Structure formats: C-alpha cells, structure tokens
Amino acid sequence: FTGNVVASNMYEGYGVYSWYPDGTSPTQSNYFAFNNNTFSNIQGSGLILYQSPPTTVNNTVFENCSTNGISWGDYEEGHQDWVTRGLTTNHCLFSSSSPRYDFAGNTSCPLVENSVLSVQVMNLDNSYRPIWTASTMSPCIDSGTGDDDPDGTPRDIGAKTAQEHAYWEYSFENQADYERWHWVSYPVLNTITYNALQASEFFKELLIIHLNSNDEPTPTYLDRIDWMEEGELQSIEWYNENWTSNQFAHYVSSPQGYKIKLLQNVPDTVTLIESGFKTPENLRFSIHGGVENWLGYFKEDPAKPNDVFADIWDDIIMVRGKSWSLVRDSNGLSGKMGTLHYGDMVSILTTNSHTFQWGSSNPTPPALKSMPQHFAFDEKPDYIPIYVSLPDSLMPDLKEIGLYLDGICKGAVVVESDYEQISAYVNSEDELTNSDLELIFHYDESKRPDQELRTTSYRPGKMQTKYGIAGARYPFYEVSISQKDLDNVKPPVFALKQNFPNPFNPTTTISYWLPETARVRLDIYNLKGQLVKTLIDSEMAAGPHSVIWNGKDGNHQAVASGVYFYRLSSPNNTQTKRMLLMK
C-alpha cells in the first residue's frame, strides 16, 4: 500500500482497515507494507491493523485522525483487541516505523519501533503536499527514510513530495579531550521561510542547553561561533548563564564563512541540516579592502585559489584555508597552495574593496587534507604557518611531522609532498621564537621499526620570524630540512607519546621513549586523581617501548567512559597526558 492519500472518512470510522483472514496463520513470507502514504481528516483511526501478519509502516503521515493515527488488533485469541500504539491525539506523525507482530504468544502487542512521533501539525496543503511558504515549512520535508526523492534530497514523508529543492548537512564529530575549530560555510539555504536564516534559528541544534548537576543551565554542544562583518569579529558564546543574544539577529548567508568550536567531550555527533536552495554560483558579494574577510565557498567543483580569485589575484595580500596559506612578499604570493571545496571557509585580505563573484576554475580533483593520527594538540581560531621543505630522501617513509614547544605539541601535519605547512596553534609569535622548538618525525613503523620517532631541535632564537606585505598581523616561518639535519636526528630525550587511538574503546596503545636504561612506572589515573591501574613498574632498556591498556582497572573491572590521565615517571623525568575512553 504505497503512495496513497486516504482522506475524509474513507470507511466507517477508519481510513484503512486491514486484517488477515480468519482461520489462516500468518507466516514470515506473508506481510503487509504501508509506505509513503497520507492519512488525513479521518473521523476515527487512520489505519487499523487487525489480526495482521508482520507489518511495516514507513514514511507515513497521520494528520487529523480524531481517534488514533494507527491502532493494532491482536492475532492470538485471548489477547485484548484494539490495543492502541503510538499517540492517542490528533496530528501524529510516524516518520519511520518498523513494527513486528510477536508470534510467541506474548500478552501484549508490539510497540512501534524506531519511531519519531509528534503532535505538531504536519502542514499539508489542499492537495496533501507538504507546505513550504514564508510562514510555514512542513516537518515532513526531508524527514523520511529510504530512497531519495526525484530531486536527490532525502525522502519527504507522505504520499506527495514538496517542491524541488536542495539539501546540505555538516556533521561536527564527537570532540575528544582536545580543542577543534571547524571552518565552514553554507551553500544551501532556506530562503523562503521567514527568519529561517536568523542565527538563533539556523544554529538551534548547536544552541541546545541542559541543567548541570547544580541545576544550572549549561551548553550541551557549542562553545563558540565566530564570523567577520566588515573586518569586525562577531561571536555567539556562553556568558552569564545564557548565549550572547545580541548576535542572534545575524542572518546566515552563503558568502559568509564561520569558525565553530564545540565543547570537549560532547555526548553526540551534531549535524546541522539545511533544506533549501543552492546559492547561484554567479552571486556577487562584497570583499572589504584592508580588513580580513571570511568567505564561504559555494561552488560545487573543487578549485585552486589562483583560479577562482583570478580577477583579484594581484590585489590579494593574504589568503588561507584551514590547512594552507599564502602570503604576499616582494616575489608575489608564496606559501602552501591548497584546494577549496564546497562548503569551505577561506580567509582573505586585499588592498582594495571589490564586488566579487567566484571565478571559473580548471578541473581540480578533491584534495582533503588528512588529520594527523600520532600527534594530539589543541587548535585555536587561527594559526601561524610554518612552511617545511623536505629532501627527497625523507619522503618514502616519513608519515607525519609534529611541532613541539617546550615539550608540548602545538600542531602537526600528514606528509604528502616535499613542501608542507604545519599550522602552529600558538598565542603569538613569541612562543615560537622564545621556546625550545622540536620537529618530531614519525615514520612508517613497518619500514623503519628502529626509527619510528625521531626529532630535530631548534633552540630559542634560531627560528626567525618573517613578514609579508600584510605586516606583523600575519607572520610566518620557513624551515628547510637538510641532509645534515637528518644525520643528526635523535630520539627524544624522554618522550611520552599520545595514546593511539584516541578516543578509544576499549583498548589503546601507549608508546614512549627512554634515553637510557632506567626503572620506570606507567600509571593510569581518573579525573579525581585516583590510581586506576599501574601498567609498568620495572626496569626498562633505552629506546622505544609500547604497552596496551585494555580499559580495565587493577581489579580487572572495566572502567567507565571518560577522561583518564596516564603518567610516565623515571628517576629523572615525569610526563603526563590525557586520553578519552568513549563507549
């Protein structure tokens, strides 16, 4: 029973009355399926299943059914008839249900499983099509399951689909025990419904709050949203038990880019979904001269910056993405050239103001930069680029490079070419010039088991800050690794690596280096500082070591999800790091 509109009391008190003939037994090969239907204005129950075999009800609207949306009758004699499942109110929506009849003789009918039930009005027009106007957007739009609608968007719920449109989603993955910033923009927007693009409505999934253990309101997901308006930084952040509502009036647009930071250890992956219309690729927008602009890239094809910025290329002083940047000096724009992708954010600084539209681009394959797996570090809203030149002899086996300042990782890069950028997440250039700086090289363990982790050091004052035409606002550094540097690489003096994987469930590997034979101890602690388990307490030889923790305490009991600390100590050194067990 698929794609039907059942309306206005089609039968005495019921929309559809479905039963299996008396005296026969339903089998697994016999079933009823009700898919993509609309039951509307029924003076009674929309759908009654009486003595039914296994039944599925999917993507079906029950609107204005005065008794119930759906009612179940029992197959076995002795069970009560007309056991109602779902909501007993009008305006109920079953968005994706997979109920199954229980043949084992249980005394109650099965519940409607995996269902989304709502008492809100489904907002269908006179033709039973989901309404999408300036005042209303039906919750049926893009909320179904199964095959996409003809326009390529997720299935609309009900017998009829809404008008042709587009769809966009961006998922913020679970945050572990380190800070991450997302550089994003939104190429698909609901430009029909009034106030749908206002920040308070557009970002509402991120703005959810809850009561903490002290019954105080606190954010569930979001830490901060930043954007630039004519060179002025604007933000939504938590302050005095509320969001800074003065920025809620901001309207989201596709040419605008955003930096979004979630809280650490958020409970779920958060996905922003926008049903709307693609922004025309030839849309013109303003670039303000002399100030930083955060732009959204809303063309579908990947592109190189020199192609899509060709019309204003000679006026650009600085341009950067999340993992690449270019700065103009006397020789032109130099640095690491990246690729722009649909929904990216890019920061740009020009000398003059422009009315601009994204230019044409040559065919460019996607080039998403991989995240480092062997280094963990906190990100900041922005970074200082360090451009690293590598000799060909290092390329075959080198996998990642980590940047350490005074023993703390401040950034890392996956090595994919002989010229890479490490984004240094520091507060100022003084941290780079006045700290003990180390570059840690992580090799392919299978090819260089004796050199998995090596380091080269730069003492304070050796790193020289450079500036382009943009001046002191945008410093950068250049490092060229020579063969002499490679000959002098050495294992870290005393190094405790970030566990891998992290987050983990239930096992993780902890690796470390010892400069000399010594008695060492490796302990696991919880957030209260209580000892959970001692993994090592013995004399160990100089060199690399690793140990696996299985997520159990000293009594062999599995520990709960959460943040744990692991500490490596020897007679002369101690280091501590964090890790996250996420079940």
Side-chain angles (χ1 to χ4, degrees):
F1 193 84
T2 300
N4 296 281
V5 173
V6 181
S8 301
N9 199 13
M10 296 294 290
Y11 184 68
E12 240 180 70
Y14 325 120
V16 169
Y17 179 68
S18 175
W19 79 98
Y20 207 83
D22 291 341
T24 60
S25 298
T27 67
Q28 291 302 320
S29 62
N30 298 321
Y31 65 91
F32 290 159
F34 294 85
N35 299 315
N36 311 321
N37 300 292
T38 296
F39 293 84
S40 183
N41 298 315
I42 308 298
Q43 299 303 310
S45 295
L47 172 62
I48 295 177
L49 302 173
Y50 179 63
Q51 296 182 346
S52 293
T55 302
T56 59
V57 183
N58 294 307
N59 299 330
T60 295
V61 173
F62 295 91
E63 182 180 48
N64 285 327
C65 300
S66 62
T67 303
N68 306 293
I70 180 171
S71 294
W72 292 82
D74 291 316
Y75 173 71
E76 297 283 349
E77 281 197 29
H79 294 189
Q80 67 179 99
D81 289 339
W82 309 118
V83 177
T84 301
R85 297 303 177 200
L87 299 178
T88 57
T89 59
N90 297 345
H91 317 308
C92 61
L93 166 71
F94 289 69
S95 71
S96 179
S97 56
S98 299
R100 294 286 181 182
Y101 195 88
D102 183 1
F103 297 106
N106 294 331
T107 57
S108 63
C109 286
L111 292 173
V112 178
E113 301 168 355
N114 305 320
S115 298
V116 177
L117 309 177
S118 172
V119 295
Q120 64 190 126
V121 177
M122 294 302 102
N123 293 322
L124 307 180
D125 64 18
N126 292 333
S127 298
Y128 306 102
R129 188 179 302 276
I131 295 173
W132 195 350
T133 65
S135 59
T136 302
M137 182 177 179
S138 170
C140 299
I141 296 173
D142 294 340
S143 298
T145 59
D147 295 339
D148 288 346
D149 282 331
D151 61 9
T153 61
R155 179 77 207 190
D156 294 340
I157 297 175
K160 298 186 179 182
T161 61
Q163 60 183 296
E164 185 174 330
H165 59 284
Y167 180 84
W168 173 258
E169 67 176 50
Y170 186 93
S171 293
F172 298 86
E173 297 179 357
N174 291 336
Q175 297 293 100
D177 55 335
Y178 44 83
E179 297 178 357
R180 286 287 178 266
W181 283 84
H182 302 260
W183 294 30
V184 297
S185 63
Y186 299 95
V188 172
L189 298 173
N190 177 3
T191 53
I192 293 180
T193 309
Y194 180 69
N195 277 348
L197 299 181
Q198 196 165 4
S200 56
E201 175 66 21
F202 188 88
F203 293 116
K204 65 181 179 181
E205 288 87 355
L206 296 178
L207 299 171
I208 293 172
I209 61 176
H210 65 278
L211 297 179
N212 61 19
S213 57
N214 297 321
D215 288 334
E216 300 168 334
T218 187
T220 302
Y221 303 117
L222 182 67
D223 187 335
R224 184 183 177 103
I225 301 174
D226 287 351
W227 66 95
M228 284 282 188
E229 291 184 1
E230 299 185 21
E232 295 293 328
L233 181 66
Q234 309 293 327
S235 299
I236 294 175
E237 56 185 326
W238 189 254
Y239 178 75
N240 197 23
E241 297 190 349
N242 212 335
W243 296 111
T244 50
S245 57
N246 57 315
Q247 301 303 332
F248 276 2
H250 168 75
Y251 276 79
V252 175
S253 67
S254 294
Q256 177 67 65
Y258 300 86
K259 296 182 182 181
I260 299 178
K261 178 175 177 286
L262 266 61
L263 298 167
Q264 296 178 26
N265 305 324
V266 298
D268 304 294
T269 297
V270 186
T271 301
L272 283 185
I273 295 174
E274 185 70 2
S275 301
F277 304 89
K278 291 180 181 177
T279 297
E281 294 185 355
N282 61 355
L283 177 72
R284 302 186 69 82
F285 53 91
S286 296
I287 293 178
H288 304 280
V291 296
E292 193 170 331
N293 298 260
W294 294 2
L295 306 182
Y297 183 70
F298 47 87
K299 293 188 66 175
E300 288 197 59
D301 295 330
K304 293 295 183 182
N306 55 335
D307 287 333
V308 291
F309 284 118
D311 290 348
I312 61 170
W313 190 249
D314 292 338
D315 194 45
I316 294 176
I317 300 172
M318 178 280 301
V319 57
R320 67 174 55 182
K322 178 71 183 292
S323 60
W324 57 270
S325 64
L326 300 167
V327 180
R328 184 174 297 279
D329 57 19
S330 57
N331 297 316
L333 282 169
S334 60
K336 179 69 175 179
M337 177 80 76
T339 301
L340 286 168
H341 297 88
Y342 192 51
D344 277 357
M345 190 214 89
V346 60
S347 175
I348 186 173
L349 177 66
T350 60
T351 301
N352 301 298
S353 296
H354 301 273
T355 299
F356 178 77
Q357 72 180 54
W358 292 114
S360 59
S361 57
N362 296 315
T364 303
L368 296 172
K369 191 68 175 176
S370 300
M371 285 291 294
Q373 298 297 313
H374 294 87
F375 300 96
F377 50 89
D378 289 331
E379 293 182 350
K380 294 182 180 297
D382 212 341
Y383 58 80
I384 295 178
I386 300 177
Y387 304 115
V388 182
S389 299
L390 301 166
D392 292 339
S393 59
L394 197 59
M395 291 303 299
D397 304 333
L398 183 61
K399 296 302 179 186
E400 297 180 8
I401 304 175
L403 170 71
Y404 282 74
L405 298 180
D406 295 334
I408 301 174
C409 188
K410 294 294 186 177
V413 66
V414 175
V415 177
E416 298 172 350
S417 72
D418 60 1
Y419 188 74
E420 290 290 356
Q421 173 184 304
I422 299 178
S423 301
Y425 294 102
V426 294
N427 293 318
S428 69
E429 60 191 84
D430 291 341
E431 288 187 60
L432 289 165
T433 55
N434 298 328
S435 302
D436 283 328
L437 185 148
E438 291 179 303
L439 293 181
I440 307 293
F441 302 96
H442 193 282
Y443 294 89
D444 186 332
E445 296 94 326
S446 64
K447 296 181 179 180
R448 292 196 182 189
D450 60 330
Q451 293 186 356
E452 180 201 352
L453 193 68
R454 312 297 266 183
T455 180
T456 182
S457 300
Y458 298 83
R459 296 303 177 192
K462 186 174 181 180
M463 293 285 289
Q464 297 298 315
T465 309
K466 296 188 175 184
Y467 306 101
I469 294 175
R473 287 185 295 173
Y474 303 101
F476 64 95
Y477 295 82
E478 294 177 338
V479 175
S480 181
I481 305 297
S482 66
Q483 187 60 48
K484 181 179 178 181
D485 294 323
L486 297 179
D487 294 339
N488 293 329
V489 295
K490 58 185 184 301
V493 175
F494 181 88
L496 177 62
K497 292 178 60 178
Q498 187 65 45
N499 65 300
F500 183 81
N502 186 44
F504 65 96
N505 178 30
T507 62
T508 189
T509 299
I510 299 172
S511 301
Y512 59 95
W513 278 86
L514 297 177
E516 57 189 4
T517 299
R519 186 174 185 87
V520 297
R521 182 176 172 121
L522 181 59
D523 296 313
I524 309 293
Y525 294 89
N526 61 24
L527 278 173
K528 296 180 180 180
Q530 299 166 324
L531 178 65
V532 174
K533 189 172 185 178
T534 298
L535 298 181
I536 298 172
D537 187 8
S538 62
E539 186 174 277
M540 305 295 290
H545 300 273
S546 63
V547 61
I548 295 176
W549 183 40
N550 60 6
K552 295 184 177 180
D553 61 20
N555 295 320
H556 307 291
Q557 300 297 311
V559 300
S561 297
V563 175
Y564 292 86
F565 296 91
Y566 57 104
R567 183 172 70 185
L568 178 69
S569 55
S570 72
N572 298 317
N573 294 281
T574 299
Q575 285 190 14
T576 302
K577 291 186 179 294
R578 296 179 296 174
M579 56 184 169
L580 176 63
L581 173 59
M582 184 178 292
K583 297 182 178 179

